[in-house]
Amino acid sequence: GVVAPAAATGHGAGGDAATQAPDLAKAADSLKQKLEANPDDGEGWALLARTYRAIEDFPAADAAFDKARALLPPDPILL
């Protein structure tokens, strides 16, 4: 039905976050490893922070946002 295509694109309502959480957690782990090799990538830290927020790892999101804010120009989105 209508729900399957929306869920497949990640833009539907319902259980999408729960089904995407393992994939997002893997993406966060991969990105964190890349950032350990390139710790001055402010955009990368901001992306990691948003990913952690999406999987509801708020302490890790806060730490990544702190690193992003230290590296990037002032941006209200990062506050």
Side-chain angles (χ1 to χ4, degrees):
V2 175
V3 175
T9 61
H11 297 294
D16 292 343
T19 58
Q20 291 177 0
D23 291 337
L24 285 176
K26 287 179 188 176
D29 288 342
S30 175
L31 182 54
K32 185 175 182 189
Q33 289 177 2
K34 290 177 184 177
L35 288 170
E36 287 171 357
N38 186 15
D40 294 331
D41 181 0
E43 293 293 334
W45 286 110
L47 177 59
L48 183 60
R50 289 190 296 270
T51 304
Y52 280 142
R53 187 176 59 197
I55 60 174
E56 299 183 0
D57 186 345
F58 300 115
D62 286 344
F65 272 126
D66 287 344
K67 290 182 181 185
R69 278 191 293 270
L71 294 166
L72 295 173
D75 184 340
I77 292 173
L78 297 176
L79 294 178

